[in-house]
Amino acid sequence: MMPLIGNLSDRYGRKALLTFPITISIIPLATLAYSRSTEFFYAYYILRTLTAMLSEGSTNCLALAYVADNISESKRTSAFGILAGVGSAAFVFGTLAARFLSTALAFQVAAVLSMVAAVYMRVFLKDKLSETGHLLAQPILKQIVSNDDEVGDGESCVLTNKVAFKAFPSVGDLVSLLRTSVTFSQAAIVTFFNSLAEGGLQAAMMYYLKARFQFSKNQYADLMLIVGLAGMLSQLVLMPLLAPFVAEQKLLSLGLLVGCANTVVLSVAWSNWVPYATAVFTVVVVLVTPCLRSIASKQVGSSEQGKAQGCLSGIGSIGSIISPLLFSPLTAMFLSEKPPFDFPGFSILCIGFMTMIAFIQSLMITADHHHHQIPTHKIDCSDRLEASSCDHLR
């Protein structure tokens, strides 16, 4: 869904495409805000699953594309870092609020805040102006070929459907996007293995800490809070300071190398204070995602930011889906009473190998900031079409 939504936002504007996922994400929260009975609990899960197909990740993807639309390339890395820092700050304050609010009130506050976000976006967010001074947004169901064109009614209908259909990217379109730029394809590979590692760490870490050091859910929540605070400060303060002087490729490689070191230390943790101490690595690790997004954004033109960010988000989602399938069984195996060999943190070490692969790939990324036009499929016009009509369709 991410490449589709990103591609449509390139055609119809970020604001139009942001409205739908932000609005439907209110529905599951409002369900539990109304009641937490068994029936509403299952209704929440069904609605959450359905709405997540469109809203999960799309808001962040479109926000990144919006930033790329309005920020110059020289400042884009810092801007992506600040955007990620705001997200980390929201995570920190949300975690703190959940510790002090009652369960029922927490869902009500969440529903109200999601409504505020939707209203704020509709009122204050402005789509970028095109070179002609008009907004990029256009009606999604706009008729492409008007009745006044010098084309027969039947031909007009068929060709209109062809043009409209090409607004939706096929697998071939995504492959063409990856083949357009070597740098973009390398960033996509790094994104996949980094997402594989991050998803695996999230899937395995809680069980590992509980089995190894008898961590409670409150201790785990405290650890998440420390990690969130470190990430917030790094992205809001450190990233804008470093970005103007250090190339984003170097920051990316540094973040991945430190992330690899983090997982290796966790895999051999000898005391319950070690996970808290390794939280300091987060200061550098959180630089990875903004750097990847910035590198990808500089490989395409201003009219293709949504497609590029959507493609990267989709690849990251694939890694996040695969990782629990790989690392959860591995974690359970080595935390069982009869493991293959005595190494409780073996699954964490394997996650570190995924980060190492991403690090090695990041070293191959070059500072290529040339805009590559993403190939599109051509439309064959019959000999009976007038030249002006054919140009209009293209």
Side-chain angles (χ1 to χ4, degrees), residues 245-265:
F245 305 102
V246 184
E248 54 203 2
Q249 290 85 0
K250 293 181 179 179
L251 289 176
L252 171 63
S253 298
L254 177 62
L256 290 169
L257 181 61
V258 172
C260 183
N262 178 39
T263 52
V264 171
V265 173

Side-chain angles (χ1 to χ4, degrees), residues 50-64:
L50 295 175
T51 57
M53 294 178 185
L54 292 174
S55 62
E56 189 73 21
S58 60
T59 303
N60 185 55
C61 166
L62 295 175
L64 289 164

Side-chain angles (χ1 to χ4, degrees), residues 129-145:
L129 294 176
S130 65
E131 294 179 357
T132 59
H134 296 90
L135 290 175
L136 291 176
Q138 54 179 305
I140 293 180
L141 298 179
K142 180 180 179 181
Q143 182 75 17
I144 299 176
V145 179

Side-chain angles (χ1 to χ4, degrees), residues 153-218:
D153 292 339
E155 294 172 346
S156 173
C157 181
V158 172
L159 289 171
T160 299
N161 290 335
K162 285 185 179 180
V163 178
F165 178 75
K166 290 306 174 185
F168 298 86
S170 64
V171 176
D173 294 329
L174 300 182
V175 173
S176 297
L177 173 57
L178 292 173
R179 294 177 61 184
T180 298
S181 167
V182 174
T183 301
F184 188 89
S185 61
Q186 290 171 335
I189 294 172
V190 173
T191 299
F192 174 77
F193 282 101
N194 184 60
S195 298
L196 199 64
E198 286 184 346
L201 200 59
Q202 291 175 2
M205 194 64 179
M206 182 167 59
Y207 300 102
Y208 171 69
L209 292 177
K210 184 176 181 180
R212 191 86 170 87
F213 304 113
Q214 292 74 50
F215 262 46
S216 66
K217 62 182 180 65
N218 288 336

Side-chain angles (χ1 to χ4, degrees), residues 30-48:
T31 301
L32 280 186
Y34 180 77
S35 174
R36 290 183 293 115
S37 63
T38 303
E39 294 79 7
F40 280 88
F41 175 78
Y42 285 111
Y44 163 82
Y45 257 94
I46 294 172
L47 291 171
R48 181 74 180 89

Side-chain angles (χ1 to χ4, degrees), residues 187 190-191 194 252 287-297 312 365:
V190 173
T191 299
N194 184 60
L252 171 63
L287 304 180
V288 170
T289 300
C291 290
L292 278 172
R293 297 294 187 166
S294 179
I295 291 170
S297 73
L312 221 58
I365 297 179

